[in-house]
Amino acid sequence: MNVSHNDWLAVALTLKLAGVTTLILLVVSTPLAWWLAHTRIRIKPVLEAIIALPLVLPPTVLGFYLLIAFAPDSAVGQLWQLLSGNTLAFSFSALVIASVIYSLPFVVQPLQSGFQQLPKPLIETAASLGAGPIDRFLSVILPLCRSNFLVASTLGFAHTVGEFGVVLMIGGNIPGQTQVLSIALYERVESLQYQTAHWLAGGLIAFSVITLSIVYLANSYRGLTPLAKSDGGIQ
């Protein structure tokens, strides 16, 4: 096995990217999923379709438009450079923003499903007993939806780990800065380093099996058929 220092850097960067992205997604997706689960606004199907777009949109398409949006001469790129002093495109920050957008439906959908199944009388009873919004969330909603949060976190983390098209388009292939594991694997295959590529690919396969096992166990705990129903997190 000839796993180089850059390969280990790619592994560390991938785990860092997935961890940061998952934390941001949980913060953003929880109120968004709650609102989608209870709103009756007419354009709700349109909003759900926009959120779910990364499920069917080719990653390179999303990456292409994000690259244009993050370019130094764009409004977003100029604002970012003004605030941070650095360019946004081909940076770790760009990878995080793109990963949050690309993995959003994998976190929103399981949470929305769990919130929709909550027994409303139980929440209303907690409110009538004086429990505030935060108290209701921590003592009632979170325990009842813990498997949904587990599935959402696992899918969001795993989907970020497996990204290729989006991160390649906006991050390039800079070792230690934007070269994630999937890109490192692609580089090894291109340079005909198949032995190293086997190790990297095997690690991703093992990670995928473990991830899906966690999702299936979590859904089995709820008495559901995972991934086959919309309330499993993938529609």
Side-chain angles (χ1 to χ4, degrees):
M1 181 180 64
N2 187 25
V3 179
S4 68
H5 177 65
N6 285 342
D7 294 325
W8 290 115
L9 286 178
V11 173
L13 186 66
T14 301
L15 295 176
K16 177 183 176 182
L17 175 62
V20 172
T21 299
T22 302
L23 289 176
I24 295 174
L25 279 170
L26 287 174
V27 172
V28 172
S29 300
T30 299
L32 178 59
W34 180 267
W35 181 77
L36 288 173
H38 297 91
T39 185
R40 295 183 180 180
I41 189 172
R42 289 187 176 182
I43 62 171
K44 176 181 176 181
V46 177
L47 297 176
E48 289 178 320
I50 293 174
I51 293 172
L53 201 57
L55 295 175
V56 296
L57 191 68
T60 49
V61 174
L62 180 60
F64 171 67
Y65 285 109
L66 287 176
L67 180 60
I68 293 177
F70 295 167
D73 58 348
S74 69
V76 175
Q78 290 177 355
L79 178 61
W80 183 272
Q81 193 162 6
L82 179 64
L83 295 175
S84 66
N86 301 311
T87 58
L88 181 55
F90 304 108
S91 67
F92 181 77
S93 298
L95 295 185
V96 172
I97 297 172
S99 298
V100 168
I101 296 173
Y102 191 51
S103 298
L104 186 64
F106 290 86
V107 179
V108 169
Q109 290 187 0
L111 296 181
Q112 181 182 349
S113 173
F115 294 155
Q116 288 173 337
Q117 296 175 12
L118 285 173
K120 292 182 180 180
L122 187 60
I123 299 176
E124 292 172 353
T125 300
S128 66
L129 293 175
I134 297 179
D135 190 17
R136 292 198 299 270
F137 177 79
L138 295 176
S139 60
V140 179
I141 298 173
L142 187 58
L144 291 175
C145 295
R146 59 183 179 274
S147 59
N148 296 87
F149 276 95
L150 175 61
V151 170
S153 302
T154 305
L155 289 178
F157 189 93
H159 191 247
T160 304
V161 169
E163 288 179 29
F164 177 75
V166 172
V167 294
L168 180 62
M169 292 287 286
I170 65 167
N173 188 16
I174 307 173
Q177 298 183 38
T178 62
Q179 186 189 69
V180 294
L181 191 53
S182 58
I183 297 177
L185 171 59
Y186 178 74
E187 186 180 67
R188 297 297 171 267
V189 173
E190 270 198 324
S191 58
L192 304 181
Q193 300 178 37
Y194 291 138
Q195 184 178 8
T196 304
H198 276 303
W199 279 97
L200 297 177
L204 286 171
I205 291 174
F207 174 77
S208 300
V209 171
I210 294 172
T211 299
L212 288 175
S213 298
I214 293 174
V215 173
Y216 273 74
L217 286 172
N219 279 325
S220 176
Y221 176 77
R222 291 188 297 161
L224 302 173
T225 303
L227 305 183
K229 298 182 179 180
S230 61
D231 56 3
I234 297 180
Q235 294 181 355

